Amino acid sequence: MNVFSICVLAVVTVIIIATLRPKNGEIALMLAISCSVIILLWIFSQVSSIISTINSIVSAADISVNYIVILLKVIGICLITEFSVNTCKDAGSQSLAGNVSLAGKIMVTITALPLYSDILSTVLSLMGIQG
């Protein structure tokens, strides 16, 4: 499945949802979630190629693996949060979507804290200040 197929699947699903929603909103919501899950499963099937590419970049650039782990965790948090927020909005719960979005932002900040600490240590060592 390529991006064109994903877009066609999404557009067809949206058209079907638009026709179903006035008569049967529950089935329309389930159809939207099902389509989203199908797209996510396809994306997750591509993870191995992404990881191999990242590994080759890490080895070529001699980057610490810890930084890549943090980056991948942050990307995962963002993707899962975005999916959850959109699902909540589709279900009509704007307040829950806002709370999920806020939680995702806080989790990204917490996950990236070790990176901030390393950057601060590097800056302080360049300035000759003991940290």
Side-chain angles (χ1 to χ4, degrees):
M1 187 182 298
N2 58 26
V3 78
F4 181 74
S5 301
I6 290 172
C7 292
V8 168
L9 174 66
V11 169
V12 169
T13 303
V14 167
I15 291 170
I16 295 170
I17 288 170
T19 58
L20 283 177
R21 186 168 283 148
K23 297 175 185 172
N24 201 337
E26 295 84 13
I27 291 179
L29 177 62
M30 288 206 250
L31 181 61
I33 292 172
S34 300
C35 181
S36 298
V37 168
I38 289 169
I39 293 171
L40 280 177
L41 289 175
W42 177 80
I43 291 170
F44 289 146
S45 72
Q46 305 299 312
V47 168
S48 63
S49 64
I50 295 169
I51 290 176
S52 66
T53 303
I54 289 173
N55 283 334
S56 65
I57 292 170
V58 167
S59 63
D62 196 31
I63 300 172
S64 172
V65 176
N66 294 333
Y67 298 143
I68 301 302
V69 168
I70 291 171
L71 176 67
L72 291 176
K73 284 181 182 179
V74 166
I75 290 171
I77 291 168
C78 290
L79 292 174
I80 292 169
T81 301
E82 184 70 19
F83 174 75
S84 300
V85 166
N86 289 337
T87 302
C88 291
K89 285 181 180 178
D90 283 347
S93 182
Q94 298 294 327
S95 62
L96 185 57
N99 290 336
V100 171
S101 178
L102 177 63
K105 291 171 186 174
I106 290 171
M107 292 306 299
V108 164
T109 303
I110 291 170
T111 303
L113 282 177
L115 183 61
Y116 301 148
S117 176
D118 286 351
I119 291 171
L120 179 62
S121 297
T122 303
V123 169
L124 290 177
S125 69
L126 288 173
M127 294 175 59
I129 301 172
Q130 296 293 334

